[in-house]
Amino acid sequence: MSAPARTVFVRALVAFAPALAVAQAAALRSAEARLTALESRVARLEGGLVNQRLETLRADLEDAPEIPLRPRGGPRLSIESTDGAFRLRIGGRLQLDAGTFTQSRRFAAERGRLEDGVAFRRARIDVRARLHRNLHLSVGCENRGGRAALLPAFFELRGLPGRTRVRVGFTRAPLTLQAATSSLHLPHFERGVVNRLAPGLRSGLFLSGTDAAERLRWHLSLYRETDLRGASAPRDDEAYGLALRLRGDAWRGSEGGRLHLGFGIAGEDYGNAGVRFRERPGLRLLDFTVDTGRLEARRGLTLSAEVALQLGAFDASADAVWLRLSGVAGRPWLVAYQARASWFITGESRDFDTRRGGFARLRPHRPWPDGPGAWELGLRFEHLELDAGGVGGGEQTQTTLLLAWHLDGFTRVSFAWIHARIEDAGRADLFALRLQIDF
């Protein structure tokens, strides 16, 4: 390019430079405006989608059933749906026993010296669930001797005609008043000697119901022998049983008084395993003091009778069990009976579970520490006879004097003096303490 041409080009560029700068600035501002508008539109779209999703989620949460946590039936964790169709309750119980003992020289020579001790009688976790309005589940797991035991584990169907309930699983056959009472609400430390001859924890089918007037109630149990895990015996040792219990109130007072009567019958086939009966003198801390050893019995017929009386702050009850063994020389009758009475110094009355036919929870009028709690005096007499015909298990008689302090409906401290006398083996005196709490 020649010098004149370059000069003309430079002058033209200088002349048009301001116009080009203005045009570029306008284009930049237009682009920025479009970008800002686009960002605003994207934000609005995103905000709308988020809000829409939040509204959808909120609607779903409103339609979903609520499961609030709230206390029901005492200090237990309870999870329940708002419509009441589902409920889960978790609780437990702890019973700690301590005892000191004295015995006669004859007893020490025949049965050995008794050693003082402290141990948990029960340490259990209970889970109860309502799976449907009429279908319930109950599972308990307890530590026994370092191994887990199922106490109990069953399904229960309710709402059937005649107020019938059906249980399937592992639970206690309720042939006596003591067997029908929960271990939490027993007036004394243990169920007593009648429980040794009556059917205990079994796996099977358990039905209960009442008549139209709810005066007569019945319990029917079809079961087989199991261990504490609910497992059945080997095939060649199959053992089955059938039990029926009838009970009702012969009299009901206007202020909670009642006279309760009951009778039971059970037939058991022991299979090839035979059977054994034995008992301790009042506490699980001690070894067995009467024992039949293994008996080659094939079948057993059990009869039971029970009575309970409640009059204000006073209540009393008695149980008796007769067991006839077949396949043993002389077809002997083994016998167990017990009678007890309680009086609440502070004026409370022990509740009675009319559905189960056993004693229920005691609720002090003025729980501790705002009040004195409930103070109870109790007395029990028991006798177990395992000596009859070809059976030589011994005889045991014991008397228990009890003082119990119920701090509230879920905590109890019990003191007991137990005087046990073993035929041909002397006597023993036990001084026991139990701390109990359930939650």
Side-chain angles (χ1 to χ4, degrees):
M1 179 181 294
S2 63
R6 286 196 298 271
T7 302
V8 172
F9 177 77
V10 170
R11 288 177 179 178
L13 184 61
V14 171
F16 285 102
L20 290 174
V22 171
Q24 289 179 352
L28 182 59
R29 287 194 297 271
S30 177
E32 290 179 347
R34 288 197 299 271
L35 181 59
T36 302
L38 182 60
E39 290 177 346
S40 178
R41 184 178 179 184
V42 169
R44 288 197 301 271
L45 289 174
E46 289 180 346
L49 289 175
V50 171
N51 291 334
Q52 183 179 358
R53 290 178 180 176
L54 288 176
E55 290 297 332
T56 303
L57 181 59
R58 187 180 295 110
D60 291 341
L61 290 176
E62 290 177 354
D63 294 337
E66 297 180 6
I67 306 181
L69 295 176
R70 53 188 176 186
R72 294 182 61 90
R76 292 178 175 86
L77 174 63
S78 178
I79 304 175
E80 184 179 32
S81 59
T82 53
D83 60 0
F86 172 81
R87 180 191 300 170
L88 177 67
R89 294 199 314 172
I90 301 176
R93 65 192 68 179
L94 293 173
Q95 294 175 336
L96 178 64
D97 290 349
T100 183
F101 318 104
T102 63
Q103 64 274 322
S104 64
R105 293 181 178 178
R106 185 179 181 184
F107 186 98
E110 295 287 338
R111 297 292 190 268
R113 295 193 61 82
L114 300 177
E115 299 294 337
D116 300 348
V118 178
F120 277 104
R121 174 61 178 89
R122 290 180 178 89
R124 183 190 303 183
I125 294 296
D126 294 302
V127 178
R128 297 183 182 182
R130 177 193 290 165
L131 305 179
H132 190 265
R133 290 192 181 275
N134 294 325
L135 181 61
H136 295 247
L137 169 68
S138 180
V139 178
C141 185
E142 182 174 312
N143 180 18
R144 283 205 170 187
R147 62 172 182 165
L150 289 175
L151 299 170
F154 60 83
F155 289 96
E156 182 175 79
L157 183 61
R158 304 177 183 177
L160 300 176
R163 296 193 176 183
T164 302
R165 298 190 177 195
V166 179
R167 286 185 178 182
V168 180
F170 183 54
T171 187
R172 189 176 297 277
L175 192 65
T176 66
L177 180 69
Q178 299 299 316
T181 301
S182 167
S183 61
L184 286 173
H185 314 316
L186 292 172
H188 288 258
F189 283 35
E190 303 293 338
R191 287 189 168 87
V193 297
V194 296
N195 203 49
R196 294 294 156 255
L197 301 184
L201 290 164
R202 301 289 189 266
S203 286
L205 179 67
F206 306 85
L207 299 91
S208 63
T210 182
D211 64 345
E214 298 188 18
R215 302 291 295 184
L216 178 66
R217 297 179 182 266
W218 56 270
H219 304 263
L220 181 64
S221 306
L222 176 62
Y223 54 84
R224 65 169 301 164
E225 295 283 348
T226 55
D227 59 19
L228 289 179
R229 294 171 296 173
S232 60
R235 179 67 61 180
D236 59 346
D237 286 338
E238 290 182 350
Y240 294 89
L242 178 66
L244 173 66
R245 178 187 179 211
L246 298 175
R247 61 179 181 83
D249 291 338
W251 167 77
R252 288 184 185 177
S254 58
E255 298 182 359
R258 74 177 65 241
L259 175 62
H260 168 91
L261 300 175
F263 305 92
I265 182 171
E268 294 185 290
D269 188 329
Y270 301 126
N272 299 326
V275 67
R276 183 181 188 180
F277 302 100
R278 52 186 181 171
E279 177 61 309
R280 299 176 173 90
L283 282 180
R284 282 293 185 97
L285 291 173
L286 303 177
D287 201 357
F288 296 99
T289 48
V290 289
D291 189 348
T292 64
R294 182 177 178 272
L295 302 174
E296 299 293 341
R298 296 290 300 177
R299 287 172 296 277
L301 174 65
T302 306
L303 303 176
S304 68
E306 64 191 68
V307 59
L309 175 66
Q310 289 185 298
L311 292 172
F314 173 83
D315 65 83
S317 64
D319 288 273
V321 173
W322 300 265
L323 172 62
R324 187 170 189 178
L325 297 175
S326 298
V328 179
R331 301 183 67 187
W333 283 94
L334 306 183
V335 180
Y337 54 86
Q338 61 191 54
R340 53 150 296 276
S342 292
W343 175 57
F344 287 92
I345 304 171
T346 46
E348 287 80 3
S349 297
R350 195 185 308 276
D351 288 341
F352 193 84
D353 189 337
T354 56
R355 183 182 61 80
R356 296 179 59 176
F359 292 111
R361 186 179 303 278
L362 178 95
R363 303 182 185 277
H365 295 328
R366 297 174 56 202
W368 186 85
D370 297 328
W375 287 85
E376 174 187 9
L377 283 176
L379 178 66
R380 181 165 74 175
F381 175 81
E382 306 170 80
H383 179 75
L384 176 63
E385 186 173 336
L386 301 180
D387 256 340
V391 179
E395 294 185 23
Q396 178 172 308
T397 302
Q398 58 193 46
T399 303
T400 303
L401 182 62
L402 176 81
L403 173 64
W405 179 29
H406 303 257
L407 285 75
D408 51 38
F410 304 90
T411 310
R412 177 168 59 173
V413 181
S414 301
F415 309 88
W417 166 59
I418 304 171
H419 176 75
R421 185 170 293 276
I422 315 301
E423 185 183 35
D424 298 328
R427 59 155 186 87
D429 290 283
L430 298 73
F431 302 90
L433 166 69
R434 168 170 290 182
L435 306 177
Q436 172 180 305
I437 184 171
D438 69 292
F439 53 91

